[in-house]
Amino acid sequence: MRNFPLRRLLLALLLVAAQLPALQAQQKRLTMADAFLNRSLQPENLRQLSWIPGSKDEYSYVRTTNGQDELVRGSNGTATAVFSLAELGQTLQAAGAPTVKASAFPTVTWMSPQQALLMRAGKVYRVDVASKQATALFGYDQAAENVEMDPTHTRVAFTKDQNLYVSLAGRENEAVTQETNPAIVNGQAAHRSEFGITKGTFWSPTGSRLAYYRMDQAMVTDYLLVDVSATPAQAKPFKYPMAGDKSHEVTVGVYDLNTRKTVFLQTGEPKEQYLTNISWSPDEKSIFVAVLNRGQNQMQLRQYDATTGAFVKTLFEEKSDKDFVEPLHPLEFVPGRPDQFLWRSQRDGYEHIYLYSTSGKLLRQLTKGPWQVTDVLGFADNNREVVFQSTAASPLQRRVYAVKLSGGKLREITRETGTHTATLSPSGRQLLDVFSSTSTPRIIRTVSVADGKTAQTLLTAPNPVAEYQLGETKMVTLKAADGQTDLYGRLITPPNFDPAKKYPTVVYLYGGPHVQLVTDSWLGGANLWMQLMAQKGYVVFTVDSRGSGNRGSAFERATFRQLGTVEMQDQLKGVDYLKSLPYVDATRIGIHGWSFGGFMTTTLMTRSPGTFKVGVGGGPVIDWRMYEIMYTERYMDTPQENPDGYAQANLLNHVDKLQGKLLLIHGTIDDVVVWQHSLDYLKTAVDKGVQLDYFVYPGHPHNVGGKDRVHLYQKITDYFDDKL
């Protein structure tokens, strides 16, 4: 009996020893390089995951086996290698490709189950999968930009300087345009890539015709960027249309590859209008354009004759007398029904799907409710239903649903709580479902569209930060400043959290349109820098205020004509929540954001002085009068129409109210939020005797990327360490 305490002690020591590896495994600390450059700390993924057209729902992806990348294809639970990176290199060299040591597997585009296309060093190659032999099809200029393959995979369009070209077998580098004025640009994304515009060329279904943007910027004022990498420094002018000023003028050309002639759509007056969401009819006879007025409160969906360019008819229009209309998606024809198409619109307050006939008649609204359709994936059940992704379960989640074109109830396909990003197979029978949640790094599965059951699991990614000491992430719900609207937030507390202690807190925010920071995805949508800050003993908090994305019109447009005001009120509700937590030191709260988040950081430091002890604003909009027309006038109208709104949001008018420590950061060749924004703020601070801190990144555009991003976030972190 005397030895009993000793036995207990030995047992306790043995238990501690057994747990020691697990405890040690979770003691690693993140470095700044880990947070931004260490890819092994991101969830494992399947690269180039895609369906193979023409197959019986086969898919392919790139995997690494024994240190070597290889392309594999699979179905029904089996995956076999197609070729390795080394084999592909030998195959291409045999077809005349130059010897290039590839660091990553080149992009593979499947033409059929037997053939794949690759583009390398200015040439297009067809690879026969069975024989592993490649054939050079045609070449194109190695200086080409904005390269786009046609739907038949037999020709490409590309731009060089201000001109547009096509290449195909026997007709390489054929000039579509021969513009000598660099202010007139062909084949590139127009309208500063707003309105869902991502490109400037639009192939017809058979590739026999090419529609493209022609953007005349001659009337737009030059804005000077300065290249300090040369001595002496060089002026680099570019066209930047600022709110209230003259905008560029856009037309749409249609190049016929058979006749080598171009016609222009007769889009008419006024010339300052937005030609958005271009699409072809299945028979290639018509082109549809969502034409938006500069005031952005009236959109007409118009049909044009693709052969003559003549206006055919307006199918329908959408107007708003309260705020704006924002077309973001081209119409999508129903396969096998050339007289019916889907249209996405927020006309009832939420983004939903509408079924129309080409006569312009609304057949029915297919989805309805206080939630958003976030993506249309395609058609299933012999094209009798449409498959889509939405926030129907929760604004924090994305799940996949189907609804019949004849109408009726939604059918949920993915039921697991979290974020599903899916791709529909060409047959419409299966999904490639990429899933994550706050606690699940990534799972990739094939899922049956008919019953939602998992056919096979392709990847279950392990926790990439399992060995690291992370803080706890908690999702919270607050009320907005209106007392009614729910806001969703994310709170990260330090590892080894002690509720009896008082912690400094950093608020990270964006708050602007089309962005959602808090989601039911891996780590709640947080990045590893936030976890690094938690390791250093900070509480890190984010809330998506009104004005941010994926919540419907009332939520997103509450900021109309008064950017910064409603967002600030909601962020201050977030601060009230933080101050209610006994472990948050209310005297040591900091704030950081970039771009719109930089604007909000500076707004809160000056329009709510004393709330935050420290702020770091990156690439901040300071005066909306100096931001681009398309974005600014949508949310603020013009400076001439809304002088009070612009004056209230202009942070130059609030510099003298600054309290606490503020660091502003800007890239010297920022062509999105031009450097002058923060320089004007700095000059005004000097004029008014206000002290602040300032740092620039020479040669960087709007975002500081690459290895310099580590430097940037070390700068930000050091500032909070020193001042907070």
Side-chain angles (χ1 to χ4, degrees), residues 264-309:
F264 283 89
L265 303 187
Q266 296 168 22
T267 48
E269 301 285 343
K271 292 183 178 179
E272 286 192 343
Q273 59 185 354
Y274 302 119
L275 307 180
T276 75
N277 300 288
I278 294 170
S279 56
W280 284 88
S281 63
D283 62 8
E284 302 190 339
K285 292 180 179 179
S286 299
I287 294 177
F288 298 86
V289 184
V291 181
L292 184 69
N293 65 329
R294 175 163 171 174
Q296 300 190 45
N297 60 1
Q298 180 182 19
M299 184 280 299
Q300 295 182 332
L301 184 64
R302 297 181 189 169
Q303 180 182 2
Y304 294 89
D305 187 308
T307 302
T308 66

Short mmCIF file of all heavy atoms in Angstrom, two decimals, residues 264-309:
data_model
loop_
_atom_site.label_atom_id
_atom_site.label_comp_id
_atom_site.label_asym_id
_atom_site.label_seq_id
_atom_site.Cartn_x
_atom_site.Cartn_y
_atom_site.Cartn_z
N PHE A 264 -19.34 45.72 -87.85
CA PHE A 264 -19.51 46.18 -86.48
C PHE A 264 -20.98 46.22 -86.11
O PHE A 264 -21.83 46.61 -86.92
CB PHE A 264 -18.87 47.57 -86.29
CG PHE A 264 -17.37 47.52 -86.18
CD1 PHE A 264 -16.58 47.59 -87.31
CD2 PHE A 264 -16.77 47.38 -84.94
CE1 PHE A 264 -15.19 47.52 -87.22
CE2 PHE A 264 -15.39 47.31 -84.82
CZ PHE A 264 -14.60 47.38 -85.97
N LEU A 265 -21.27 45.77 -84.90
CA LEU A 265 -22.65 45.83 -84.43
C LEU A 265 -23.08 47.29 -84.34
O LEU A 265 -22.34 48.15 -83.85
CB LEU A 265 -22.78 45.17 -83.05
CG LEU A 265 -22.33 43.71 -82.93
CD1 LEU A 265 -22.69 43.16 -81.55
CD2 LEU A 265 -22.91 42.83 -84.03
N GLN A 266 -24.28 47.54 -84.79
CA GLN A 266 -24.80 48.92 -84.83
C GLN A 266 -25.43 49.26 -83.47
O GLN A 266 -26.65 49.33 -83.32
CB GLN A 266 -25.79 49.05 -85.98
CG GLN A 266 -25.13 48.84 -87.35
CD GLN A 266 -26.12 48.68 -88.48
OE1 GLN A 266 -27.26 49.12 -88.39
NE2 GLN A 266 -25.68 48.06 -89.58
N THR A 267 -24.53 49.45 -82.50
CA THR A 267 -24.99 49.67 -81.12
C THR A 267 -25.43 51.11 -80.88
O THR A 267 -26.03 51.41 -79.85
CB THR A 267 -23.89 49.28 -80.13
OG1 THR A 267 -22.64 49.87 -80.54
CG2 THR A 267 -23.72 47.78 -80.09
N GLY A 268 -25.11 52.02 -81.79
CA GLY A 268 -25.71 53.34 -81.77
C GLY A 268 -25.27 54.26 -80.66
O GLY A 268 -24.24 54.07 -80.01
N GLU A 269 -26.09 55.28 -80.44
CA GLU A 269 -25.83 56.33 -79.45
C GLU A 269 -26.55 56.00 -78.15
O GLU A 269 -27.54 55.27 -78.14
CB GLU A 269 -26.31 57.68 -79.99
CG GLU A 269 -25.65 58.11 -81.30
CD GLU A 269 -24.23 58.59 -81.12
OE1 GLU A 269 -23.86 58.91 -79.97
OE2 GLU A 269 -23.50 58.66 -82.12
N PRO A 270 -26.11 56.59 -77.01
CA PRO A 270 -24.89 57.40 -76.88
C PRO A 270 -23.65 56.51 -76.94
O PRO A 270 -23.72 55.32 -76.64
CB PRO A 270 -25.06 58.05 -75.51
CG PRO A 270 -25.87 57.06 -74.74
CD PRO A 270 -26.81 56.43 -75.72
N LYS A 271 -22.54 57.12 -77.31
CA LYS A 271 -21.32 56.34 -77.42
C LYS A 271 -20.79 55.92 -76.05
O LYS A 271 -20.10 54.91 -75.93
CB LYS A 271 -20.26 57.13 -78.18
CG LYS A 271 -20.61 57.32 -79.65
CD LYS A 271 -19.52 58.04 -80.41
CE LYS A 271 -19.88 58.16 -81.89
NZ LYS A 271 -18.82 58.89 -82.63
N GLU A 272 -21.09 56.70 -75.03
CA GLU A 272 -20.69 56.34 -73.66
C GLU A 272 -21.74 55.42 -73.06
O GLU A 272 -22.67 55.84 -72.37
CB GLU A 272 -20.50 57.59 -72.79
CG GLU A 272 -19.25 58.35 -73.13
CD GLU A 272 -18.92 59.41 -72.08
OE1 GLU A 272 -19.81 59.78 -71.29
OE2 GLU A 272 -17.78 59.87 -72.06
N GLN A 273 -21.61 54.15 -73.39
CA GLN A 273 -22.49 53.12 -72.84
C GLN A 273 -21.64 51.87 -72.66
O GLN A 273 -20.52 51.78 -73.16
CB GLN A 273 -23.67 52.85 -73.76
CG GLN A 273 -23.27 52.39 -75.16
CD GLN A 273 -24.46 52.26 -76.10
OE1 GLN A 273 -25.61 52.40 -75.70
NE2 GLN A 273 -24.19 51.97 -77.36
N TYR A 274 -22.18 50.90 -71.94
CA TYR A 274 -21.42 49.69 -71.63
C TYR A 274 -22.01 48.51 -72.40
O TYR A 274 -23.19 48.19 -72.26
CB TYR A 274 -21.44 49.43 -70.13
CG TYR A 274 -20.88 50.58 -69.33
CD1 TYR A 274 -21.66 51.26 -68.40
CD2 TYR A 274 -19.57 51.01 -69.51
CE1 TYR A 274 -21.16 52.32 -67.66
CE2 TYR A 274 -19.05 52.07 -68.78
CZ TYR A 274 -19.85 52.72 -67.86
OH TYR A 274 -19.34 53.78 -67.14
N LEU A 275 -21.17 47.87 -73.22
CA LEU A 275 -21.57 46.70 -74.00
C LEU A 275 -21.06 45.47 -73.26
O LEU A 275 -19.87 45.16 -73.28
CB LEU A 275 -21.00 46.78 -75.42
CG LEU A 275 -21.29 48.10 -76.17
CD1 LEU A 275 -20.68 48.05 -77.56
CD2 LEU A 275 -22.79 48.38 -76.24
N THR A 276 -21.97 44.77 -72.61
CA THR A 276 -21.56 43.74 -71.66
C THR A 276 -22.16 42.38 -72.02
O THR A 276 -23.16 42.29 -72.73
CB THR A 276 -21.98 44.11 -70.23
OG1 THR A 276 -23.40 43.90 -70.08
CG2 THR A 276 -21.69 45.58 -69.92
N ASN A 277 -21.55 41.32 -71.49
CA ASN A 277 -22.12 39.97 -71.50
C ASN A 277 -22.51 39.52 -72.91
O ASN A 277 -23.66 39.18 -73.19
CB ASN A 277 -23.30 39.89 -70.54
CG ASN A 277 -22.88 40.22 -69.12
OD1 ASN A 277 -22.21 39.42 -68.47
ND2 ASN A 277 -23.22 41.41 -68.65
N ILE A 278 -21.50 39.48 -73.77
CA ILE A 278 -21.69 39.13 -75.18
C ILE A 278 -21.84 37.61 -75.32
O ILE A 278 -21.09 36.84 -74.72
CB ILE A 278 -20.50 39.64 -76.00
CG1 ILE A 278 -20.47 41.17 -75.99
CG2 ILE A 278 -20.53 39.10 -77.43
CD1 ILE A 278 -19.22 41.78 -76.58
N SER A 279 -22.82 37.18 -76.13
CA SER A 279 -22.99 35.75 -76.37
C SER A 279 -23.54 35.52 -77.78
O SER A 279 -24.17 36.40 -78.37
CB SER A 279 -23.92 35.12 -75.33
OG SER A 279 -25.16 35.80 -75.30
N TRP A 280 -23.28 34.32 -78.30
CA TRP A 280 -23.72 33.92 -79.64
C TRP A 280 -24.97 33.04 -79.55
O TRP A 280 -25.13 32.26 -78.60
CB TRP A 280 -22.62 33.11 -80.32
CG TRP A 280 -21.47 33.91 -80.84
CD1 TRP A 280 -20.35 34.28 -80.18
CD2 TRP A 280 -21.33 34.43 -82.17
NE1 TRP A 280 -19.50 34.99 -80.99
CE2 TRP A 280 -20.08 35.10 -82.23
CE3 TRP A 280 -22.13 34.39 -83.32
CZ2 TRP A 280 -19.63 35.73 -83.39
CZ3 TRP A 280 -21.68 35.01 -84.48
CH2 TRP A 280 -20.44 35.68 -84.51
N SER A 281 -25.80 33.11 -80.56
CA SER A 281 -26.88 32.12 -80.70
C SER A 281 -26.28 30.81 -81.20
O SER A 281 -25.23 30.80 -81.85
CB SER A 281 -27.94 32.62 -81.69
OG SER A 281 -27.36 32.77 -82.99
N PRO A 282 -26.91 29.68 -80.92
CA PRO A 282 -26.36 28.38 -81.36
C PRO A 282 -26.17 28.29 -82.87
O PRO A 282 -25.25 27.62 -83.34
CB PRO A 282 -27.40 27.37 -80.86
CG PRO A 282 -28.07 28.05 -79.71
CD PRO A 282 -28.11 29.51 -80.07
N ASP A 283 -27.02 28.99 -83.66
CA ASP A 283 -26.90 28.91 -85.13
C ASP A 283 -25.95 29.96 -85.69
O ASP A 283 -25.79 30.06 -86.91
CB ASP A 283 -28.28 29.04 -85.79
CG ASP A 283 -28.96 30.38 -85.51
OD1 ASP A 283 -28.30 31.28 -84.93
OD2 ASP A 283 -30.14 30.54 -85.88
N GLU A 284 -25.32 30.75 -84.82
CA GLU A 284 -24.32 31.75 -85.19
C GLU A 284 -24.89 32.91 -85.99
O GLU A 284 -24.15 33.73 -86.52
CB GLU A 284 -23.14 31.13 -85.95
CG GLU A 284 -22.42 30.03 -85.19
CD GLU A 284 -21.12 29.60 -85.85
OE1 GLU A 284 -20.96 29.83 -87.06
OE2 GLU A 284 -20.27 29.04 -85.14
N LYS A 285 -26.21 33.01 -86.08
CA LYS A 285 -26.81 34.10 -86.85
C LYS A 285 -26.94 35.38 -86.03
O LYS A 285 -27.05 36.47 -86.61
CB LYS A 285 -28.18 33.68 -87.39
CG LYS A 285 -28.12 32.59 -88.44
CD LYS A 285 -29.52 32.22 -88.93
CE LYS A 285 -29.44 31.14 -90.01
NZ LYS A 285 -30.80 30.75 -90.48
N SER A 286 -26.95 35.24 -84.70
CA SER A 286 -27.21 36.40 -83.86
C SER A 286 -26.18 36.53 -82.75
O SER A 286 -25.60 35.52 -82.30
CB SER A 286 -28.60 36.30 -83.22
OG SER A 286 -29.61 36.27 -84.20
N ILE A 287 -25.98 37.77 -82.33
CA ILE A 287 -25.17 38.07 -81.16
C ILE A 287 -26.05 38.85 -80.19
O ILE A 287 -26.79 39.77 -80.59
CB ILE A 287 -23.92 38.89 -81.54
CG1 ILE A 287 -22.98 38.03 -82.40
CG2 ILE A 287 -23.18 39.37 -80.29
CD1 ILE A 287 -21.75 38.77 -82.88
N PHE A 288 -25.96 38.48 -78.91
CA PHE A 288 -26.75 39.14 -77.87
C PHE A 288 -25.81 39.94 -76.97
O PHE A 288 -24.75 39.45 -76.57
CB PHE A 288 -27.52 38.10 -77.05
CG PHE A 288 -28.51 37.32 -77.88
CD1 PHE A 288 -28.12 36.18 -78.57
CD2 PHE A 288 -29.83 37.74 -77.99
CE1 PHE A 288 -29.02 35.48 -79.36
CE2 PHE A 288 -30.74 37.04 -78.76
CZ PHE A 288 -30.33 35.90 -79.45
N VAL A 289 -26.22 41.17 -76.67
CA VAL A 289 -25.40 42.07 -75.87
C VAL A 289 -26.30 42.72 -74.82
O VAL A 289 -27.39 43.22 -75.13
CB VAL A 289 -24.75 43.17 -76.73
CG1 VAL A 289 -23.82 44.03 -75.88
CG2 VAL A 289 -23.98 42.57 -77.91
N ALA A 290 -25.85 42.71 -73.58
CA ALA A 290 -26.53 43.46 -72.52
C ALA A 290 -25.97 44.88 -72.55
O ALA A 290 -24.82 45.11 -72.17
CB ALA A 290 -26.30 42.81 -71.16
N VAL A 291 -26.76 45.82 -73.03
CA VAL A 291 -26.33 47.21 -73.21
C VAL A 291 -26.79 48.02 -72.00
O VAL A 291 -28.00 48.10 -71.73
CB VAL A 291 -26.87 47.80 -74.51
CG1 VAL A 291 -26.39 49.23 -74.70
CG2 VAL A 291 -26.45 46.93 -75.71
N LEU A 292 -25.84 48.60 -71.31
CA LEU A 292 -26.11 49.33 -70.07
C LEU A 292 -25.77 50.80 -70.28
O LEU A 292 -24.71 51.13 -70.83
CB LEU A 292 -25.26 48.75 -68.94
CG LEU A 292 -25.44 49.28 -67.53
CD1 LEU A 292 -26.79 48.89 -66.97
CD2 LEU A 292 -24.32 48.77 -66.63
N ASN A 293 -26.65 51.69 -69.84
CA ASN A 293 -26.36 53.12 -69.97
C ASN A 293 -25.27 53.53 -68.98
O ASN A 293 -25.00 52.83 -68.00
CB ASN A 293 -27.62 53.96 -69.75
CG ASN A 293 -28.17 53.86 -68.32
OD1 ASN A 293 -28.02 52.84 -67.67
ND2 ASN A 293 -28.79 54.92 -67.85
N ARG A 294 -24.63 54.68 -69.23
CA ARG A 294 -23.55 55.11 -68.33
C ARG A 294 -24.08 55.33 -66.92
O ARG A 294 -23.35 55.08 -65.95
CB ARG A 294 -22.88 56.38 -68.86
CG ARG A 294 -21.83 56.89 -67.87
CD ARG A 294 -20.86 57.86 -68.45
NE ARG A 294 -20.06 58.44 -67.36
CZ ARG A 294 -19.03 59.26 -67.53
NH1 ARG A 294 -18.66 59.61 -68.75
NH2 ARG A 294 -18.37 59.74 -66.50
N GLY A 295 -25.30 55.76 -66.78
CA GLY A 295 -25.88 55.93 -65.45
C GLY A 295 -26.10 54.63 -64.71
O GLY A 295 -26.37 54.63 -63.50
N GLN A 296 -25.99 53.51 -65.43
CA GLN A 296 -26.07 52.15 -64.88
C GLN A 296 -27.40 51.87 -64.18
O GLN A 296 -27.45 51.07 -63.24
CB GLN A 296 -24.89 51.87 -63.95
CG GLN A 296 -23.54 51.98 -64.65
CD GLN A 296 -22.38 51.46 -63.82
OE1 GLN A 296 -22.46 50.40 -63.22
NE2 GLN A 296 -21.28 52.20 -63.79
N ASN A 297 -28.46 52.50 -64.67
CA ASN A 297 -29.78 52.20 -64.09
C ASN A 297 -30.77 51.70 -65.14
O ASN A 297 -31.95 51.55 -64.86
CB ASN A 297 -30.35 53.43 -63.38
CG ASN A 297 -30.52 54.63 -64.30
OD1 ASN A 297 -30.22 54.56 -65.50
ND2 ASN A 297 -30.98 55.73 -63.76
N GLN A 298 -30.27 51.41 -66.36
CA GLN A 298 -31.13 50.86 -67.40
C GLN A 298 -30.31 49.92 -68.28
O GLN A 298 -29.30 50.32 -68.86
CB GLN A 298 -31.75 51.96 -68.25
CG GLN A 298 -32.66 51.41 -69.34
CD GLN A 298 -33.23 52.52 -70.22
OE1 GLN A 298 -32.70 53.63 -70.23
NE2 GLN A 298 -34.30 52.24 -70.92
N MET A 299 -30.74 48.67 -68.35
CA MET A 299 -30.08 47.67 -69.18
C MET A 299 -31.07 47.14 -70.21
O MET A 299 -32.22 46.83 -69.88
CB MET A 299 -29.56 46.51 -68.32
CG MET A 299 -28.76 45.44 -69.08
SD MET A 299 -29.74 44.24 -70.01
CE MET A 299 -30.70 43.47 -68.72
N GLN A 300 -30.63 47.05 -71.46
CA GLN A 300 -31.43 46.43 -72.51
C GLN A 300 -30.68 45.22 -73.05
O GLN A 300 -29.51 45.33 -73.43
CB GLN A 300 -31.69 47.42 -73.64
CG GLN A 300 -32.55 48.60 -73.24
CD GLN A 300 -32.83 49.53 -74.42
OE1 GLN A 300 -32.04 49.62 -75.35
NE2 GLN A 300 -33.96 50.22 -74.38
N LEU A 301 -31.35 44.06 -73.07
CA LEU A 301 -30.77 42.89 -73.71
C LEU A 301 -31.15 42.93 -75.18
O LEU A 301 -32.32 42.80 -75.53
CB LEU A 301 -31.26 41.60 -73.05
CG LEU A 301 -30.61 40.33 -73.63
CD1 LEU A 301 -29.11 40.31 -73.35
CD2 LEU A 301 -31.26 39.07 -73.07
N ARG A 302 -30.14 43.14 -76.03
CA ARG A 302 -30.40 43.37 -77.45
C ARG A 302 -29.85 42.23 -78.31
O ARG A 302 -28.84 41.61 -77.98
CB ARG A 302 -29.75 44.68 -77.92
CG ARG A 302 -30.31 45.92 -77.25
CD ARG A 302 -29.61 47.15 -77.82
NE ARG A 302 -29.95 48.36 -77.08
CZ ARG A 302 -29.30 49.52 -77.23
NH1 ARG A 302 -28.29 49.59 -78.08
NH2 ARG A 302 -29.66 50.58 -76.53
N GLN A 303 -30.52 42.02 -79.42
CA GLN A 303 -30.13 41.03 -80.41
C GLN A 303 -29.65 41.75 -81.66
O GLN A 303 -30.28 42.72 -82.12
CB GLN A 303 -31.31 40.11 -80.75
CG GLN A 303 -31.00 39.04 -81.78
CD GLN A 303 -32.23 38.20 -82.10
OE1 GLN A 303 -33.32 38.45 -81.58
NE2 GLN A 303 -32.07 37.21 -82.97
N TYR A 304 -28.49 41.30 -82.21
CA TYR A 304 -27.94 41.88 -83.43
C TYR A 304 -27.71 40.79 -84.46
O TYR A 304 -27.42 39.64 -84.12
CB TYR A 304 -26.61 42.59 -83.13
CG TYR A 304 -26.74 43.80 -82.23
CD1 TYR A 304 -26.67 43.67 -80.86
CD2 TYR A 304 -26.96 45.06 -82.78
CE1 TYR A 304 -26.80 44.77 -80.02
CE2 TYR A 304 -27.09 46.18 -81.96
CZ TYR A 304 -27.01 46.03 -80.58
OH TYR A 304 -27.15 47.12 -79.76
N ASP A 305 -27.81 41.18 -85.74
CA ASP A 305 -27.53 40.27 -86.84
C ASP A 305 -26.01 40.14 -86.96
O ASP A 305 -25.30 41.12 -87.18
CB ASP A 305 -28.11 40.83 -88.13
CG ASP A 305 -27.99 39.86 -89.30
OD1 ASP A 305 -26.88 39.37 -89.56
OD2 ASP A 305 -29.01 39.61 -89.97
N ALA A 306 -25.49 38.91 -86.82
CA ALA A 306 -24.04 38.71 -86.81
C ALA A 306 -23.43 38.89 -88.19
O ALA A 306 -22.22 39.12 -88.31
CB ALA A 306 -23.71 37.31 -86.28
N THR A 307 -24.24 38.81 -89.25
CA THR A 307 -23.71 38.96 -90.61
C THR A 307 -23.61 40.42 -91.03
O THR A 307 -22.62 40.85 -91.63
CB THR A 307 -24.60 38.20 -91.61
OG1 THR A 307 -24.64 36.82 -91.23
CG2 THR A 307 -24.05 38.31 -93.03
N THR A 308 -24.63 41.21 -90.68
CA THR A 308 -24.66 42.61 -91.11
C THR A 308 -24.34 43.59 -89.98
O THR A 308 -24.04 44.75 -90.25
CB THR A 308 -26.05 42.96 -91.66
OG1 THR A 308 -27.02 42.87 -90.59
CG2 THR A 308 -26.46 42.01 -92.77
N GLY A 309 -24.45 43.13 -88.73
CA GLY A 309 -24.28 44.02 -87.59
C GLY A 309 -25.54 44.79 -87.23
O GLY A 309 -25.54 45.57 -86.27
#
